[in-house]
Amino acid sequence: MIGDIRETGECQLKDPMDLFHSGQVVKICAPMVRYSKLAFRTLVRKYSCDLCYTPMIVAADFVRSAKARDSEFTTNKGSDHPLIVQFAAKEAQVLCDAARIVCPFADGIDLNCGCPQRWAISEGYGACLINKPELVKDMVRHVRNQIDNPKFSVSIKIRIHEDLKRTVDFCQKAEAAGVSWITVHGRSIEERHQPVHYDAIKIIKQSMSIPVVANGDIKTLKDAENVHHLTEADGIMVARGLLANPAMFAGYEETPFQCIQDWVDIALEHGTPFTCFHHHLMYMMERITSKQEKKVFNVLSSTSAVLDYLNDHYGV
């Protein structure tokens, strides 16, 4: 929790833009509700992930409530960097206040302009912001003006419009306001499982002079390489692919047993709640277990039962 860090001294903050200037494609763990928390970020960083995001946090709740801050945002002062805190926000000053709180402990913030869920859109958050370029500009400028650290990044994650010209215009306005980079999920608000429009990401990339990150349906390192080739993006952001195989960026085609062992060690050390601990293992073992094994493993209901199962069946 944030309070823990204040007592233990300064974080080893980094400039995320250094990654984009390295000449390598930046490998990024997406913001995932419930999943991209400290323990999982610690795991994927062991396996060649360059940059991690927190799950999306509603900025207004975060600013208003100490309880929300303690439950929503956990980091450490050592290896959890560079770290981007993703916020859902619709008011410039609220986003600024949230950014100011995390600024000593994170390397940047990201404004969610891509979440297509109904609750988010009805509250004025997420993907509806791609139709409000002036508001997004205002939010970005406010943060830029009020955070003193010039290395603190301000990025946005978006979906695309049916009319791509609108998206390009939106991105150019965001760039002019001082956005560090833009992550593009290559689907519109209405699209869920339709193919990702990688051609649209390429057009956006060619229209910008800041880095662009490609996101959507990247399940393997080969997919990541293909998407980089198709889009010319500066970074590749992965969500479900990393849940299924946290060692993906290190070149493993399926989760190695060492990675499962690492997850067990990290999760126990962090006191990860059982449901989260178990769900991650269910994802990680999806490709390496039989239907019969899944039936047994997926209904285990305690940490000790899971540990016994892993020991008996896999020597983990």
Side-chain angles (χ1 to χ4, degrees):
M1 281 170 269
I2 298 178
D4 299 339
I5 301 166
R6 288 210 176 108
E7 289 154 25
T8 50
E10 281 301 302
C11 297
Q12 297 168 5
L13 297 178
K14 299 184 177 175
D15 183 348
M17 290 306 292
D18 288 346
L19 291 171
F20 290 106
H21 296 144
S22 70
Q24 303 292 315
V25 180
V26 184
K27 302 185 285 293
I28 305 170
C29 179
M32 291 179 277
V33 176
R34 293 185 298 280
Y35 292 122
S36 44
K37 295 200 166 184
L38 175 60
F40 187 68
R41 298 195 301 264
T42 304
L43 180 67
V44 295
R45 288 184 197 277
K46 278 183 82 108
Y47 289 92
S48 303
C49 185
D50 299 316
L51 180 64
C52 291
Y53 282 53
T54 67
M56 182 182 79
I57 298 168
V58 176
D61 297 343
F62 190 77
V63 169
R64 193 170 48 235
S65 157
K67 190 176 172 193
R69 290 195 287 278
D70 285 346
S71 65
E72 297 280 348
F73 178 56
T74 310
T75 184
N76 62 38
K77 69 185 179 94
S79 57
D80 191 30
H81 296 280
L83 175 65
I84 305 301
V85 182
Q86 193 188 61
F87 285 114
K90 57 185 175 182
E91 294 161 293
Q93 194 53 51
V94 172
L95 181 62
C96 273
D97 292 344
R100 201 180 283 116
I101 292 166
V102 299
C103 184
F105 315 108
D107 305 281
I109 62 156
D110 184 82
L111 175 62
N112 185 317
C113 304
C115 178
Q117 291 183 37
R118 280 205 192 94
W119 75 266
I121 289 171
S122 68
E123 293 280 337
Y125 298 135
C128 68
L129 290 177
I130 62 171
N131 298 316
K132 299 177 181 177
E134 294 307 317
L135 174 58
V136 171
K137 239 166 79 173
D138 192 38
M139 287 198 271
V140 171
R141 283 212 174 114
H142 259 71
V143 178
R144 278 273 173 252
N145 291 338
Q146 292 186 35
I147 298 290
D148 293 335
N149 179 0
K151 293 181 176 177
F152 191 78
S153 65
V154 183
S155 56
I156 59 174
K157 184 171 186 286
I158 68 168
R159 283 187 169 234
I160 59 173
H161 298 88
E162 300 287 345
D163 174 5
L164 197 61
K165 285 198 199 77
R166 290 181 65 199
T167 316
V168 169
D169 179 62
F170 175 89
C171 291
Q172 288 172 338
K173 283 180 173 153
E175 178 179 353
V179 160
S180 307
W181 69 85
I182 295 178
T183 300
V184 184
H185 180 97
R187 290 187 176 102
S188 69
I189 297 174
E190 289 75 27
E191 291 175 318
R192 289 295 186 275
H193 304 293
Q194 291 90 334
V196 177
H197 302 286
Y198 296 119
D199 55 335
I201 300 177
K202 181 176 183 176
I203 290 165
I204 293 164
K205 167 63 193 162
Q206 290 172 337
S207 312
M208 313 296 293
S209 52
I210 55 171
V212 169
V213 173
N215 173 236
D217 277 6
I218 299 160
K219 305 273 172 43
T220 64
L221 191 58
K222 189 87 187 104
D223 288 347
E225 287 162 358
N226 289 343
V227 169
H228 170 63
H229 181 69
L230 287 169
T231 63
E232 300 168 8
D234 305 276
I236 299 291
M237 178 183 279
V238 180
R240 287 167 191 248
L242 280 173
L243 283 182
N245 177 9
M248 179 191 123
F249 283 141
Y252 292 91
E253 297 205 357
E254 55 188 32
T255 310
F257 286 118
Q258 182 58 51
C259 183
I260 293 171
Q261 179 69 65
D262 287 337
W263 170 243
V264 169
D265 294 344
I266 290 166
L268 294 180
E269 186 190 327
H270 283 82
T272 302
F274 172 73
T275 306
C276 182
F277 169 64
H278 189 210
H279 277 185
H280 273 296
L281 286 168
M282 284 157 63
Y283 278 116
M284 288 159 68
M285 293 166 64
E286 176 74 23
R287 295 181 198 163
I288 56 178
T289 49
S290 67
K291 233 181 201 166
Q292 198 49 47
E293 285 174 318
K294 283 187 191 67
K295 268 186 189 163
V296 176
F297 185 79
N298 292 359
V299 296
L300 296 175
S301 57
S302 71
T303 300
S304 56
V306 167
L307 296 178
D308 288 345
Y309 183 94
L310 291 174
N311 188 39
D312 294 348
H313 289 75
Y314 302 107
V316 170

